[in-house]
Amino acid sequence: MRLSRRTLDRLPEGVTKPDYDPALVTIGLVHLGIGAFHRAHQAVFTEAILAGDPSWGISGVSLRSPDTRDALQPQDGLYTLKIQDGEAEQLQIVGSVVALLCAPEDPEAVLARMADPATRIVSLTITEKGYCHNPATGTLDEAHPDIVHDLENPQRPRSAIGFIVEALARRARAGNAPFTLLSCDNLPSNGHVLKRVVTRFAELRDPALAGLARSVASPSTMVDRIVPATTDSDRDAIAAALGLEDAWPIMTEPFQQWVIEDDFPLGRPAWEKAGAVFVDDVAVFETMKLRLLNGSHSTLAYLGYLAGAETVADAMSLPGMEALIEALMREEASPTLPPLQGFDLAAYRADLLRRFRNPRLRHRTWQIAMDGSQKLPQRLLGTIRDRLKAGAGYERLALGVAAWMRYARGLDEQGQPIDVRDPHAARIAGLVRDVVEPERIVDAYLTMQDVFDADLAANAAFRLALVKALTTLFEDGSAATLRTYAR
Ligand code: CS2
């Protein structure tokens, strides 16, 4: 028997259920990129406010595969959230995703829903590469195949940007005000980046649409919750605990954080009731999170994967790793952060180390290692740029970048192929796969100006730091390198 509205009353004691009548919920928000992160984060904040205001149900849209729709539609959108750490475990059934669409199958249905006047917010978790931008500059990549496609076929878009601009145009034609855009991806000033690419796309599509795009509210947000990909054994464990099948439960940690700029002309859910924090400017929080959490995460992922660690928790237990990550955060990344009045940065860092050690989350290093070309600029390179400016050291950050260079080259320490997932995997392989000298590998990577901007690529000290770290990684391997750096 499957989890669904009909079977809600069969759930065992102790499982949290919706505290509202799901049948009364209407759609107020369309979410592009209905993956695991959204379902552990924004959908859960929204779940908490539906009893007070059922007009904020979520229509989830997949921009690529039908998998989520196929898993959740037979369950009326319901799914299980398992929240766990070393101490506690909690199960919650979430019902805020009340409708599911698959964009490639029916782009018209997605556009109609976005253009519907009841839709007041369009939010996004489309990952870094979904913005079709140049990660080093934050501007639209006008040669991106999806952008080229969407400019030629504006009524049948593929990219989130194409959908947004067409839906805004339809709303304007019908006399409806623009929805608020809400980017929930790990990008610095994600709202600005989104608005910049949307406006540029609108300009290219039809200069008459540019003013409309410029008028859209696009508050920035900082989102945080660790959400590993669900495995078959997770599904089995949930079925055993519920006595009902759930095709796609979500695994996460107790910690959750959401900081949002309060700019919603058509209104918004009272997410603060669920612990979201509304501020005037999210940039300081975003920089802190990207540089401390995500910068550490990527470093852990590349070094850990190369040393044979399957999960983040495994990587944290490699000799030297925790000391390296602690020092990377405290000595190298924290001094680059703008002042955060009244915020206990030391406690935040300690909490991060504890979260990374969470023994119950099987967060694969391979998962975090994905899309490095899109992630490194805001996670490690911006920090390095600030350290260079300050004349300060950055050897651990450089080691993280060098570990990416070794990983993305596509061969592990035993010479076996790595399944590198990155929009530029083939380009990187072409640049460095057959190169063996660390200097030449570094030089080849530094030609990627969409990752390393011209200044950084031309910086001799930076180049040398990378060559040094990469040489150590090749000569000693990742595990021994960690022990060296810990000394
Ligand atoms: C991770 C993030 O996969 C990754 O790149 O670093 O998804 C990370 O788990 C989240 O940003 C935590 O909020």
Side-chain angles (χ1 to χ4, degrees):
M1 196 172 292
R2 192 89 173 255
L3 173 68
S4 73
R5 286 187 191 169
R6 274 187 310 110
T7 55
L8 270 178
D9 55 0
R10 291 174 176 262
L11 289 166
E13 280 295 294
V15 176
T16 310
K17 296 187 236 177
D19 59 350
Y20 52 89
D21 179 354
L24 298 181
V25 175
T26 56
I27 294 167
L29 192 152
V30 172
H31 184 78
L32 306 180
I34 182 82
F37 180 77
H38 171 77
R39 288 160 59 203
H41 191 266
Q42 187 183 339
V44 180
F45 282 88
T46 306
E47 179 76 358
I49 61 89
L50 286 177
D53 185 353
S55 76
W56 285 110
I58 299 170
S59 178
V61 178
S62 308
L63 290 168
R64 300 265 174 265
S65 102
D67 297 357
T68 307
R69 193 265 327 266
D70 292 349
L72 296 190
Q73 197 126 291
Q75 301 179 181
D76 305 314
L78 296 173
Y79 62 91
T80 317
L81 186 73
K82 184 174 183 178
I83 304 165
Q84 52 188 344
D85 61 10
E87 280 136 42
E89 174 182 311
Q90 190 199 329
L91 294 177
Q92 178 182 5
I93 307 299
V94 179
S96 55
V97 180
V98 291
L100 289 132
L101 296 170
C102 173
E105 280 179 20
D106 195 353
E108 194 48 44
V110 176
L111 288 167
R113 177 99 3 109
M114 292 170 77
D116 191 303
T119 298
R120 286 156 286 162
I121 297 176
V122 170
S123 56
L124 305 91
T125 46
I126 53 176
T127 78
E128 297 85 349
K129 61 178 176 287
Y131 290 78
C132 306
H133 70 313
N134 174 327
T137 60
T139 53
L140 184 69
D141 174 3
E142 296 174 21
H144 193 290
D146 288 353
I147 295 303
V148 173
H149 171 274
D150 290 0
L151 286 170
E152 281 164 11
N153 306 276
Q155 311 291 325
R156 287 188 67 82
R158 265 187 207 151
S159 72
I161 299 158
F163 275 102
I164 289 167
V165 172
E166 175 58 14
L168 286 171
R170 291 187 186 193
R171 289 177 81 100
R173 275 205 301 279
N176 294 317
F179 39 65
T180 300
L181 283 172
L182 187 61
S183 165
C184 298
D185 282 293
N186 285 316
L187 292 168
S189 307
N190 48 15
H192 295 282
V193 172
L194 178 58
K195 188 151 164 178
R196 190 182 307 132
V197 293
V198 162
T199 306
R200 180 67 189 143
F201 179 90
E203 248 164 38
L204 292 170
R205 198 188 125 172
D206 175 359
L209 288 174
L212 173 64
R214 259 190 291 274
S215 74
V216 173
S218 184
S220 287
T221 60
M222 181 267 251
V223 296
D224 190 6
R225 194 165 210 183
I226 293 177
V227 191
T230 305
T231 64
D232 286 338
S233 78
D234 295 329
R235 285 188 184 85
D236 293 346
I238 293 293
L242 298 185
L244 293 171
E245 303 281 333
D246 179 347
W248 208 327
I250 301 292
M251 308 293 122
T252 194
E253 59 174 345
F255 184 93
Q256 56 177 343
Q257 192 177 19
W258 198 8
V259 188
I260 314 170
E261 289 172 359
D262 204 354
D263 180 14
F264 293 82
L266 300 187
R268 61 163 174 85
W271 283 315
E272 67 276 16
K273 290 189 179 150
V277 177
F278 285 88
V279 298
D280 291 334
D281 183 1
V282 97
V284 286
F285 295 96
E286 187 71 55
T287 309
M288 172 186 80
K289 193 248 169 174
L290 283 168
R291 292 189 175 186
L292 295 187
L293 189 158
N294 298 107
S296 299
H297 240 182
S298 290
T299 303
L300 272 162
Y302 298 119
L303 288 169
Y305 184 97
L306 291 170
E310 196 188 342
T311 67
V312 172
D314 295 344
M316 282 292 281
S317 66
L318 294 168
M321 183 70 97
E322 181 159 344
L324 172 87
I325 296 297
E326 193 277 331
L328 179 150
M329 290 199 284
R330 181 174 43 80
E331 284 184 34
E332 298 184 7
S334 294
T336 70
L337 300 178
L340 276 150
Q341 239 91 57
F343 189 88
D344 187 347
L345 205 54
Y348 180 78
R349 286 192 302 259
D351 225 30
L352 285 177
L353 292 172
R354 195 184 45 72
R355 292 170 65 198
F356 295 154
R357 284 193 304 258
N358 186 334
R360 299 293 303 280
L361 290 186
R362 294 196 52 78
H363 200 188
R364 294 177 69 196
T365 48
W366 177 81
Q367 185 186 347
I368 300 167
M370 272 185 225
D371 296 343
S373 70
Q374 313 292 298
K375 291 173 175 173
L376 253 53
Q378 58 276 11
R379 294 182 176 206
L380 294 172
L381 301 177
T383 325
I384 291 177
R385 200 174 288 118
D386 286 352
R387 296 291 284 171
L388 280 165
K389 245 183 260 155
Y394 54 90
E395 62 164 2
R396 300 172 188 93
L397 296 160
L399 178 63
V401 179
W404 168 68
M405 291 179 161
R406 173 135 206 213
Y407 176 94
R409 182 166 165 269
L411 294 173
D412 70 13
E413 293 184 354
Q414 285 69 46
Q416 297 302 310
I418 300 174
D419 179 8
V420 177
R421 301 287 171 93
D422 190 296
H424 294 301
R427 178 176 159 214
I428 293 172
L431 284 170
V432 296
R433 185 78 174 236
D434 300 323
V435 184
V436 286
E437 302 85 356
E439 294 84 355
R440 289 189 46 220
I441 294 177
V442 167
D443 288 340
Y445 270 109
L446 290 177
T447 64
M448 298 181 73
Q449 297 222 341
D450 45 337
V451 178
F452 305 93
D453 64 29
D455 277 358
L456 208 49
N459 189 300
F462 174 57
R463 174 181 176 276
L464 217 59
L466 292 177
V467 171
K468 179 170 168 264
L470 194 59
T471 304
T472 314
L473 283 174
F474 272 108
E475 282 176 0
D476 304 345
S478 178
T481 303
L482 284 172
R483 292 194 293 271
T484 315
Y485 273 72
R487 255 185 252 129

